[in-house]
Amino acid sequence: MKTHANLNGVTVQGYGHVYGKMSFPDGRYYEGGFEKDGDFKGVGKYLFSNGDFYHGEWSQSKMTGLGKYFSKANRKWTYGQFKNQVVGINPKDLADLDPDVAPKVDKEMKPEDWSKAIKDKGLEVYFF
C-alpha cells in the first residue's frame, strides 16, 4: 500500500542533509534530519500511529543511537541506546511497514546517565 506524504525540507548548509517533516494521513509523522537519498538521518522525532513516540538518533531510516521512547500503552519512557530499529515507513518509496512495532532498546540507561551521554556526544541541543 502506498502512503501519500508531504515533505517540506530546507537545506541545512554545511551538513549535507535536509531538515523537514514527513506526515501521513493516519497521524504518523517524522520530523528531523533527512539524508539526500531520503533516509532519516541525524536526530529526529517519530510519532507512531498508536501514540508511541521516539526522539533520538537515526541512521538509514532506523532508530540507531541514543534515544528515548515513550510507550503510550504503558505510559513509560525508555532511555538508552537503540540499534537498527525499523519504524512503520520506508521514506524512500513510502511503502508501509507495520506501523506500530515497538522498538527494543539495545542498552537501557537511567535517565541521568542518558542525559550525560547526550551531553558528552554534543547532542543536547537537539533534545527537549
Side-chain angles (χ1 to χ4, degrees):
M1 174 180 143
K2 287 282 187 182
T3 303
H4 299 287
N6 298 316
L7 172 60
N8 297 313
V10 177
T11 301
V12 181
Q13 189 174 1
Y15 290 97
H17 64 275
V18 297
Y19 180 87
K21 183 172 182 178
M22 186 180 272
S23 55
F24 305 90
D26 64 2
R28 288 179 289 165
Y29 77 85
Y30 170 80
E31 182 176 2
F34 288 87
E35 193 59 70
K36 288 181 179 177
D37 65 2
D39 273 335
F40 302 161
K41 171 85 174 175
V43 176
K45 303 178 274 189
Y46 186 85
L47 178 67
F48 293 77
S49 61
N50 66 358
D52 288 1
F53 181 78
Y54 172 79
H55 188 177
E57 291 185 285
W58 296 81
S59 179
Q60 298 179 329
S61 299
K62 296 175 183 171
M63 295 176 276
T64 303
L66 292 169
K68 58 185 180 178
Y69 178 80
F70 179 75
S71 169
K72 184 177 177 185
N74 299 330
R75 297 182 166 216
K76 179 187 172 204
W77 282 99
T78 301
Y79 297 83
Q81 187 81 29
F82 291 78
K83 185 175 179 182
N84 293 323
Q85 297 292 311
V86 179
V87 294
I89 192 73
N90 181 343
K92 288 182 183 178
D93 62 11
L94 302 181
D96 273 323
L97 306 171
D98 185 344
D100 295 324
V101 174
K104 294 179 176 76
V105 64
D106 192 49
K107 178 184 173 190
E108 191 166 351
M109 303 168 91
K110 294 179 183 175
E112 56 272 13
D113 295 335
W114 180 85
S115 294
K116 183 181 180 323
I118 291 294
K119 187 175 182 180
D120 290 348
K121 206 168 182 181
L123 296 172
E124 62 187 334
V125 70
Y126 296 102
F127 288 88
F128 53 85

